[in-house]
Amino acid sequence: MKKILLASMVSLGLSATQAMADVNLSGFASINAGKVLSGDGAPQYDIPPTFLADYPIVSAYEEEWSFKPETLFGLQVRADMGGGLSATAQVVARGADDFDAQFEWAYLSYELNDNWTLQAGKKRLPLFYYSDFYDVGFAYVWMRPPADTYTWQIFNYTGINALYTGEWGDWSVSGNIYGGREDSDNNRLLSQFFFREPVREIWKNIIGGVLTLNKDWFEARFTHMRYTNERFQAGEQVTWDGSTERDGRFYGIAVNLDFGQFFALSELNRLDLDGNFDSAMLTLGYRLDGVTPYVGYSTYEQKDGEDGEEHNTTFVGLRWDFHTSAAFKVQYDKVDDKSFNLAVAGDSRSLTFGVDLVF
């Protein structure tokens, strides 16, 4: 019923605005399948052999072949009302959510001039290099961005931001200054996977910035964000050292090198929140007549006394662009989970494949 109502709302909105605005409709999809070939699981938490491919969405593969965890369909509508004003909405239906379509983005944009654009509404939180197009598998080489790096439980926010694009000498420059909050009732990652009971996760007083520099084969992206965290677990407010709030600071840098055929992708991130949460990834690839083999490594580490959360993934894969708007991918992931008290899903070896497309 929700899907029917949502489709009706989008159709009615398009009909009502087409007379007043230039409406552009685009979409994307990923039809993926996979399974765990072998694994230990986390018996202390009754978790069977599992590969957690996507942390914020909780896309988890087990020992039977499944298309459900990472298959998704997305539709984006952009209405250009002229004079620099536009409205954008994005609806995504995920197999991990039983294809219950949800609005992921909904925001207004106003172009102040050739360099600056103001936006307000619900958007993706731009913590990582691939955050803005995380759901569009066709936009990157892997089956999905490395899970050890893209781990956080909050990935959207509602607020305002200012985008900048320009040229500084020989450099192409883009930036984003943003602020807002996110109140995630029954947060997927914390509720469904880690704590296994309802968790309301609140990130408020969010303020951050992104700066990207690009010249020829070199690109660097710098990001910083501050926020205040509140949490309710099973209806009770969580406290940290007697306080109901704690402040977090996120720092990140991505460096990409693209020499045409050979390329290297990297990210290094730290979250300072009652200690340091460090993550990193490196990918090397080679483009050859529409076929791109790649290999990579990602890692996550949070020290907590003698234990903590520590895991890494070694992966190898292949992308085949068999069509201008579609690509076939296959990837093998080897996960080493070195944690016990904060174990995610134990060691695993998994195989996934699928087709990403845009339309």
Side-chain angles (χ1 to χ4, degrees):
M1 185 63 180
K2 287 183 180 178
K3 299 173 191 176
I4 297 173
L5 287 173
L6 187 57
S8 300
M9 289 169 61
V10 172
S11 299
L12 286 172
L14 284 172
S15 300
T17 58
Q18 278 177 335
M20 300 177 290
D22 181 13
V23 177
N24 179 57
L25 187 65
S26 59
F28 53 90
S30 295
I31 299 90
N32 297 335
K35 66 171 293 187
V36 172
L37 303 175
S38 63
D40 300 331
Q44 65 272 35
Y45 299 121
D46 296 322
I47 296 176
T50 300
F51 171 50
L52 186 57
D54 184 319
Y55 278 67
I57 308 301
V58 191
S59 300
Y61 292 97
E62 297 184 356
E63 293 181 291
E64 298 293 332
W65 286 104
S66 177
F67 280 88
K68 196 172 182 179
E70 292 187 288
T71 294
L72 63 82
F73 297 87
L75 190 65
Q76 182 167 297
V77 182
R78 184 179 184 273
D80 187 346
M81 290 165 276
L85 183 64
S86 65
T88 302
Q90 182 172 290
V91 179
V92 180
R94 308 176 188 275
D97 290 333
D98 294 322
F99 296 103
D100 185 8
Q102 303 287 340
F103 277 100
E104 294 283 344
W105 292 6
Y107 62 90
L108 292 174
S109 299
Y110 182 69
E111 296 179 7
L112 295 177
N113 51 46
D114 291 339
N115 299 113
W116 289 95
T117 299
L118 296 180
Q119 297 180 323
K122 181 178 182 179
K123 293 190 67 182
R124 185 59 49 87
L125 193 62
L127 292 179
F128 307 105
Y129 184 90
Y130 294 93
S131 291
D132 285 346
F133 38 98
Y134 183 83
D135 289 328
V136 187
F138 186 78
Y140 43 78
V141 66
W142 320 279
M143 284 291 298
R144 87 284 302 170
D148 296 306
T149 306
Y150 288 67
T151 59
W152 308 117
Q153 61 268 31
I154 295 293
F155 56 98
N156 287 332
Y157 78 105
T158 300
I160 60 175
N161 69 288
L163 294 177
Y164 172 84
T165 58
E167 302 291 329
W168 296 357
D170 294 332
W171 292 85
S172 296
V173 181
S174 63
N176 185 9
I177 302 170
Y178 60 94
R181 63 176 282 141
E182 181 72 359
D183 189 335
S184 177
D185 192 24
N186 199 23
N187 181 265
R188 292 173 181 168
L189 182 61
L190 301 182
S191 302
Q192 299 176 20
F193 199 85
F194 283 130
F195 297 121
R196 298 191 177 185
E197 61 183 7
V199 176
R200 178 186 173 195
E201 181 78 350
I202 302 169
W203 287 16
K204 62 183 183 180
N205 303 325
I206 294 173
I207 184 168
V210 180
L211 178 66
T212 303
L213 307 173
N214 187 288
K215 181 180 179 182
D216 299 327
W217 47 267
F218 177 84
E219 182 180 35
R221 180 183 187 270
F222 307 90
T223 180
H224 175 61
M225 184 193 74
R226 298 185 178 196
Y227 71 101
T228 299
N229 179 211
E230 282 188 88
R231 180 178 297 168
F232 294 83
Q233 187 171 337
E236 298 293 330
Q237 187 159 27
V238 176
T239 60
W240 298 277
D241 295 326
S243 176
T244 59
E245 298 180 350
R246 56 178 178 170
D247 294 326
R249 291 176 174 83
F250 181 87
Y251 309 86
I253 179 173
V255 175
N256 299 327
L257 311 178
D258 194 331
F259 301 102
Q261 288 185 298
F262 173 77
F263 62 89
L265 312 173
S266 67
E267 286 196 60
L268 181 65
N269 306 295
R270 165 167 287 185
L271 175 64
D272 181 359
L273 181 71
D274 295 339
N276 293 326
F277 301 70
D278 295 321
S279 66
M281 77 87 175
L282 175 65
T283 299
L284 304 177
Y286 191 84
R287 302 183 186 95
L288 182 63
D289 295 329
V291 177
T292 306
Y294 60 89
V295 62
Y297 178 83
S298 61
T299 180
Y300 177 94
E301 182 176 352
Q302 172 207 353
K303 286 300 183 183
D304 183 15
E306 295 182 358
D307 191 20
E309 181 180 346
E310 184 179 356
H311 41 83
N312 62 72
T313 305
T314 303
F315 51 89
V316 60
L318 183 89
R319 170 175 172 147
W320 172 35
D321 288 271
F322 65 91
H323 188 276
T324 55
S325 299
F328 171 81
K329 301 176 185 176
V330 59
Q331 183 168 314
Y332 172 81
D333 291 88
K334 175 179 176 290
V335 177
D336 290 327
D337 191 340
K338 301 178 181 180
S339 315
F340 183 81
N341 292 333
L342 296 179
V344 176
D347 297 346
S348 68
R349 311 292 181 266
S350 61
L351 183 68
T352 51
F353 65 91
V355 173
D356 293 321
L357 54 96
V358 291
F359 51 89

